[in-house]
Amino acid sequence: MRPPTLHVLFCLCSCLTLVHPFDWPVAHIIPSARISKIQALIAAAMYGQTKIPPGSGSYSVGCTDLMFKYTNKSTFLRLYYPSQDDERSDTIWIPNKEYFFGLSKFLGTHWVMGKILNLLFGSMTTPASWNSPLRTGEKYPLIVFSHGLGAFRTIYSAIGIDLASHGFIVATVEHRDGSASATYYFKDQSAAEIGKKTWLYLKTLKQGEEELPLRNEQVLQRAKECSQALNLILCVDCETKNVLDLEFDIRQLKDSIDRNKIAVIGHSFGGATVIQALNDDQRFRCGIALDAWMLPLAEEVLSNFSQPLFFINSERFQYPANIIKMKKCDSPGKERKMITIRGSVHQNFADFTFATGKVFGYMFTLKGAIDSNVAIDLTNKASLAFLQKHLALQKDFDQWDDLIEGKDEHLIPGTNIDTSNQHVALQNSTGTETRNLD
């Protein structure tokens, strides 16, 4: 079972066919009546739209993009960090129209869909100050974040910004393995200087191709990309250059990261990447898997790593085979936690839950029965409590320790999925006791 796609885009596509089929000639002049229908469609999509929430912590948050080297194997990431001020302009959420074209290709729709999406969301911002200077003078824990299938580096800003507002540096990797709906690189320095991007789009399964071998190959590369990003961030004084040539000075990162306090977080395919990265790189002290899609992982990896792992699941995405595979991560002496957010859906972890209006959001499962702000707040607070415990942070995030155990009216300890025909150890253990998750 693949993670559900951005269902709202299917709705937009379907509605658009009511306006006119997808065989518009390029030079066709759209009559005013048709323009009115498109405007009505946009109004319906955006009605009740909420903004991506600002960070709830005490730090101002800055944002920049970093790209290292000039090949399609180069590291590309969006960085959220505590900043000196918040007086600069907010960050453009999805900065290039090609990302919308990538989403339309991911969904198998006409290229016009990308234009519609760009019209809907191309000017949307997220509440972080673009290229604001890093707040120096202290060492921050570092989080490497891995996106889901068909996603990219920019659409988890609600999580990145909130964690940065509590004193973390968050590096959201844009994967080059063919799992991003779109990504780009520069072939050489001259291409970078003139802004000539080379775009890569989602790698799709060929007819008759089995999914597991491709996804396993991708998750291995994804984990390497997380480690590669970590290497470069920790060695910013090793002649590392941001080929994007932005105003942000990456040398600010030197002496601003606590090298003993590093974690990895990811959503969906990124959740599987968390587990692979924990297995492959001991520098990641703990991991948080948000609604993880477990299919890409080899069985031998599941019980092979020792770092603490926290599963935060939605109520509506998970299914028995996926939960059973999660439970195989448990073994004596290893801390594993699992909670489920009541009334939540798979997209409650990504920014699209805030970007679309209520009608489309509920009808096409970008929003769940739970309020999107409540869902992301629970996710972030539970994550902060877990990170404090396992990164030995001197903060007050332990006030949310009960959330790790699922002690909240909006939470289910463990899972809502029945796997009673399988005898497995409790995920919600510290490695010293076993119970039944169900």
Side-chain angles (χ1 to χ4, degrees), residues 342 370 374 378 402-403 405-413:
R342 295 183 188 273
I370 190 171
V374 173
L378 287 167
D402 282 352
L403 299 181
E405 307 299 331
K407 296 179 181 179
D408 184 272
E409 61 177 323
H410 297 295
L411 297 177
I412 300 168

Side-chain angles (χ1 to χ4, degrees), residues 303-346:
S303 59
N304 195 48
F305 62 98
S306 60
Q307 303 99 308
L309 175 63
F310 188 14
F311 290 105
I312 303 179
N313 294 336
S314 72
E315 187 173 14
R316 290 186 55 186
F317 170 68
Q318 294 300 331
Y319 49 99
N322 215 46
I323 295 295
I324 289 169
K325 207 164 182 179
M326 289 180 184
K327 292 179 177 182
K328 290 181 180 179
C329 294
D330 192 35
S331 60
K334 300 177 182 179
E335 179 151 337
R336 304 289 182 258
K337 298 290 184 180
M338 182 189 292
I339 60 174
T340 300
I341 302 175
R342 295 183 188 273
S344 62
V345 297
H346 197 56

Side-chain angles (χ1 to χ4, degrees), residues 19-21 23-36 38 111:
V19 177
H20 198 276
D23 58 353
W24 289 345
V26 173
H28 183 70
I29 299 175
I30 303 175
S32 59
R34 197 166 298 143
I35 292 175
S36 297
I38 294 174
W111 63 269

Side-chain angles (χ1 to χ4, degrees), residues 292-310:
W293 181 43
M294 300 293 288
L295 179 142
L297 292 163
E299 290 286 329
E300 59 268 21
V301 170
L302 302 178
S303 59
N304 195 48
F305 62 98
S306 60
Q307 303 99 308
L309 175 63
F310 188 14

Side-chain angles (χ1 to χ4, degrees), residues 12 29 36 50 71 85 88 133 141 182 201 248 282 286 303 311 354 357 385 410 417:
L12 290 171
I29 299 175
S36 297
T50 57
T71 72
D85 59 65
R88 302 190 180 206
Y201 292 99
F248 181 82
Q282 292 296 310
C286 63
S303 59
F311 290 105
F354 302 104
H410 297 295
I417 302 299

